[in-house]
Amino acid sequence: MGLYQICYRSQIHDHVLHGDMDAEIERTTTRLRRLNRLNGITGALILTDTHIFQLIEGRVETIEDALECAAQDPRHHSIEILSRKAVEYRLFHDSWLYFADLRMDTDRDLPADIAAVMPNPATASVSDVLGLMGHVSGDLAEGHLTNELMLI
């Protein structure tokens, strides 16, 4: 099977969180990174004050299973598939789960790709969300290249 990618948006059901939000984030990202590594899934999770954006990429069956797990997670509701398609390459090829916490970042000067999503994540367009994912994957790749050059 070829490479496949799904990007979705969901609202956060914060009343079902198990304690402190930062501790919940740490537990969740650690668990997702372990599962993604085992299943050959790469991608990113972007957190805002009210929403989660996630892009996952891998074999069709593994990312469909991952999406089903997210749909069963009581911390999410109103999952909306923004993009589902076959792709030729991974945006997050070196990351089991890139995580960006953009909570309360609305007052900062943000790059245009991020600022387009932040004012109202509930109505951000598919194009804006995919632009955000492209922006963070580019930053990740640039950082990886810089680290490689520093080791020379």
Side-chain angles (χ1 to χ4, degrees), residues 12-19 74-77:
I12 300 168
H13 249 181
D14 54 1
H15 70 278
V16 297
L17 297 177
H18 308 293
R75 297 171 296 180
H76 295 264
H77 71 95

Side-chain angles (χ1 to χ4, degrees), residues 38-71:
L38 291 171
N39 292 301
I41 295 172
T42 55
L45 180 76
I46 312 283
L47 176 66
T48 72
D49 289 322
T50 57
H51 287 77
I52 292 170
F53 296 99
Q54 187 165 19
L55 184 140
I56 51 178
E57 48 201 13
R59 292 185 334 270
V60 173
E61 57 279 353
T62 59
I63 63 170
E64 291 289 348
D65 288 347
L67 180 62
E68 181 60 30
C69 286

Side-chain angles (χ1 to χ4, degrees), residues 75-103:
R75 297 171 296 180
H76 295 264
H77 71 95
S78 302
I79 292 180
E80 176 186 2
I81 304 299
L82 301 173
S83 175
R84 180 185 297 219
K85 61 186 177 182
V87 293
E88 293 182 24
Y89 61 90
R90 295 176 187 253
L91 280 177
F92 294 93
H93 57 88
D94 287 330
S95 181
W96 300 121
L97 180 70
Y98 174 86
F99 174 71
D101 186 346
L102 299 181
R103 292 176 293 163

